[in-house]
Amino acid sequence: MTKTDALLIKEVSVLALPIALAAILDFLLSKDTLLVIWVIAIEFGLYLLQWYRVLLTSEERPPIQQSLRFVLTPLARHFASTHENARREAVELSAEVGRLKIRATNRKNKMATLVRDFRDSLSALPDAIIALDRNNRIEWWNKAAGDLVGLSSSVDQGKRIEVFFPSAEFREYIVQDDLNDPIEIRAPVSPEKLLSIRITPYGDNQRLFRAEDVTLVKQLESVRQDFVANASHELRTPLTVVLGYLETLIDQKVSNPEQVRNAMEQMYQQTTRIKGIVEDMLTLAHLERGETAPKEKVDIGDLASRICSEAISLSGEKEHAISANVDPGYFLIWNPEEIHSLFSNLVVNAVKYTPPGGEITLDWTGSSNGAWFSVRDTGIGIERSHISRLTERFYRVDVARSRESGGTGLGLAIVKHVLGRMGGDLEITSEPGVGSCFICHFPAELVERRSAQENRPPCHNPVIMSR
């Protein structure tokens, strides 16, 4: 570029500024918008001419920013700066929108995860959980609700909960304002199950239906009530006898020494019975607490001999034919008192319920699978319908006969609990008028032996009692 060209460009640039300023003033004074447009067009043309001259005469093309700073007039630079600021703000705004979208997506995913985890936790609950809308229509339920109420996939979604509980009792309950107290209703799928239902309001007029299976709780409560009633009755009967004799003696209505002796004997028998009931109840409580008792080697041969002697003494005038068949050399590794209680209760029951002159046989056999102890008698026998309940506390097949025999009603319950602690099983076979057979199986790890025989007691068609 020659000095002349540079001077020409400088002059043209200098002239461009007054022209632009004059156009602006003319616009403000005369409001001639068309003239301003023409002036701006001339200004832009001069800018192109200056840019073209620089490009033709420069050996190295200058950067666009440097060229613009050289040739742009103040007005053009203002327009360029405004455009650049607007572009920069648009980029920043777009970036901010992108960040907000990412943040919203993350929050949405987090909320979905929380909802999914919450529903998974509800599905793991054993209680039936059902979400209801304001019209008691089903929106969601967990797995337990499907099992207890009978809901299936999406077929039942949207149905009213009253469809599954059509009883008038439930319909009256669900329209109440105060739902703090639960209601107990039979399960629609399994009528033998009892459900405790509670409905809790939440959210926007929504309701949470919860049903708990309380069948076992009610059964245990019934057993507890029966136990208290039976225990009270069992203790009250002998106490009444003792109280009667004491009142007679206090009033001095008995003067005959023989009558006094008879009264003393009766009171002794009744207090002995009370003592037996209390001791058996304490034994059961000890067994149910699962307290660890010291274990020893119990010689089965010696134990069977002692039990037979006790049975003969108890039999007395009944003159039962009592015998024992015991494989020699066997030991049970357990608490001696619990083992003696187990064997003794089975034999005592046989003596009590076998008519005079009947036969009672004790058998002990062992094998590689453990050992078996059985007590067989030719007693009155038991109906099959009663066998499953024989190990319940104070359960009586014949109440009058049981009280005549002087039993506490806890013997077989103790046998069951001892075997349960040992990991054994109780099998019962009985036929009315023929007799009964009680077999105890002991696991091999509790049996120590010096010889083994693969024989079992000859009892057939056993009823297996659960541990």
Side-chain angles (χ1 to χ4, degrees):
M1 177 187 301
T2 62
K3 293 182 178 180
T4 306
D5 294 333
L7 182 60
L8 179 60
I9 292 174
K10 183 178 180 181
E11 291 174 354
V12 172
S13 299
V14 171
L15 290 174
L17 179 58
I19 295 175
L21 292 175
I24 293 173
L25 291 174
D26 184 74
F27 172 78
L28 294 175
L29 296 175
S30 62
K31 309 298 183 180
D32 191 351
T33 306
L34 183 61
L35 179 60
V36 172
I37 294 174
W38 277 105
V39 171
I40 292 174
I42 294 172
E43 179 73 19
F44 184 70
L46 291 175
Y47 154 70
L48 291 179
L49 176 61
Q50 295 172 16
W51 176 250
Y52 179 71
R53 291 285 300 272
V54 170
L55 289 180
L56 290 179
T57 58
S58 177
E59 296 180 359
E60 183 178 356
R61 185 175 300 174
I64 185 169
Q65 292 85 354
Q66 182 179 355
S67 301
L68 287 175
R69 282 196 301 268
F70 175 71
V71 298
L72 286 182
T73 63
L75 183 60
R77 284 201 299 270
H78 172 73
F79 290 154
S81 175
T82 303
H83 172 74
E84 180 64 20
N85 292 337
R87 185 191 65 79
R88 189 181 301 109
E89 290 176 359
V91 171
E92 292 177 356
L93 182 60
S94 176
E96 183 64 22
V97 170
R99 287 192 294 270
L100 291 176
K101 286 183 178 179
I102 294 174
R103 193 179 305 167
T105 302
N106 292 338
R107 288 180 178 177
K108 181 180 179 181
N109 293 337
K110 185 177 180 180
M111 184 62 67
T113 302
L114 290 174
V115 172
R116 183 171 58 253
D117 293 344
F118 179 69
R119 288 192 173 183
D120 290 343
S121 63
L122 291 180
S123 297
L125 293 176
D127 297 344
I129 305 295
I130 303 175
L132 306 175
D133 64 10
R134 65 183 63 193
N135 297 316
N136 295 328
R137 297 187 181 278
I138 299 173
E139 294 182 338
W140 178 87
W141 63 89
N142 65 350
K143 183 179 181 301
D147 298 334
L148 293 176
V149 182
L151 301 177
S152 59
S153 64
S154 59
V155 176
D156 296 322
Q157 191 168 8
K159 291 183 179 179
R160 295 178 64 91
I161 192 65
E162 294 91 336
V163 173
F164 301 92
F165 296 92
S167 65
E169 184 182 9
F170 180 79
R171 291 179 179 273
E172 292 175 0
Y173 171 76
I174 201 170
V175 297
Q176 294 178 1
D177 295 330
D178 186 7
L179 298 173
N180 293 327
D181 297 329
I183 183 175
E184 293 181 354
I185 296 179
R186 292 291 172 181
V189 178
S190 305
E192 69 277 4
K193 293 184 177 181
L194 185 64
L195 302 181
S196 176
I197 297 174
R198 184 188 297 271
I199 298 178
T200 305
Y202 78 100
D204 184 16
N205 291 329
Q206 293 176 296
R207 291 179 167 189
L208 192 66
F209 173 101
R210 183 177 69 87
E212 178 185 3
D213 185 357
V214 295
T215 307
L216 181 59
V217 175
K218 289 298 180 181
Q219 290 175 349
L220 293 176
E221 178 65 18
S222 176
V223 170
R224 186 192 67 81
Q225 292 174 351
D226 291 343
F227 170 74
V228 172
N230 290 330
S232 301
H233 187 82
E234 294 295 334
L235 292 172
R236 182 177 58 190
T237 301
L239 284 174
T240 302
V241 175
V242 173
L243 182 61
Y245 281 113
L246 289 175
E247 289 176 347
T248 301
L249 293 173
I250 291 173
D251 293 339
Q252 297 180 352
K253 295 180 180 179
V254 179
S255 57
N256 189 334
E258 186 64 27
Q259 292 179 337
V260 173
R261 179 179 176 80
N262 180 60
M264 292 296 181
E265 288 179 352
Q266 289 294 324
M267 286 190 290
Y268 177 78
Q269 291 177 3
Q270 296 302 324
T271 53
T272 301
R273 181 181 174 187
I274 294 174
K275 179 175 178 290
I277 293 175
V278 172
E279 287 179 346
D280 284 349
M281 291 174 66
L282 291 175
T283 300
L284 267 178
H286 164 76
L287 294 173
E288 289 178 344
R289 285 196 300 268
E291 297 175 355
T292 303
K295 299 178 182 178
E296 302 176 12
K297 283 186 179 181
V298 179
D299 190 317
I300 299 302
D302 292 344
L303 177 61
S305 179
R306 294 199 307 273
I307 294 295
C308 275
S309 298
E310 293 173 4
I312 293 172
S313 176
L314 180 65
S315 176
E317 296 179 355
K318 290 185 176 181
E319 296 182 350
H320 295 119
I322 301 175
S323 61
N325 302 314
V326 179
D327 291 344
Y330 278 89
F331 298 89
L332 265 179
I333 305 174
W334 200 255
N335 180 261
E337 293 181 0
E338 293 186 12
I339 294 297
H340 182 276
S341 178
L342 187 155
F343 281 39
S344 176
N345 276 299
L346 290 176
V347 175
V348 167
N349 270 356
V351 172
K352 289 178 179 178
Y353 298 108
T354 300
E359 297 180 359
I360 300 174
T361 305
L362 284 63
D363 285 289
W364 171 276
T365 58
S367 73
S368 58
N369 295 323
W372 289 264
F373 173 72
S374 68
V375 177
R376 290 179 289 118
D377 61 57
T378 57
I380 58 177
I382 307 166
E383 292 286 351
R384 189 177 181 87
S385 59
H386 294 286
I387 291 179
S388 62
R389 299 192 62 188
L390 286 179
T391 57
E392 294 181 11
R393 302 174 182 184
F394 298 114
Y395 182 76
R396 309 282 196 178
V397 176
D398 187 328
V399 177
R401 183 184 298 160
S402 298
R403 287 176 183 156
E404 287 176 3
S405 66
T408 64
L410 299 173
L412 290 180
I414 292 174
V415 170
K416 178 185 176 182
H417 277 80
V418 172
L419 280 173
R421 283 164 58 89
M422 299 177 71
D425 294 300
L426 175 63
E427 301 176 5
I428 302 175
T429 302
S430 187
E431 185 177 346
V434 177
S436 304
C437 179
F438 293 78
I439 304 176
C440 300
H441 171 251
F442 302 96
E445 59 267 21
L446 299 180
V447 180
E448 190 172 302
R449 55 187 177 173
R450 291 188 292 270
S451 62
Q453 297 178 3
E454 298 294 337
N455 296 321
R456 270 189 85 177
C459 293
H460 306 285
N461 302 321
V463 176
I464 300 176
M465 306 299 292
S466 61
R467 289 184 290 220

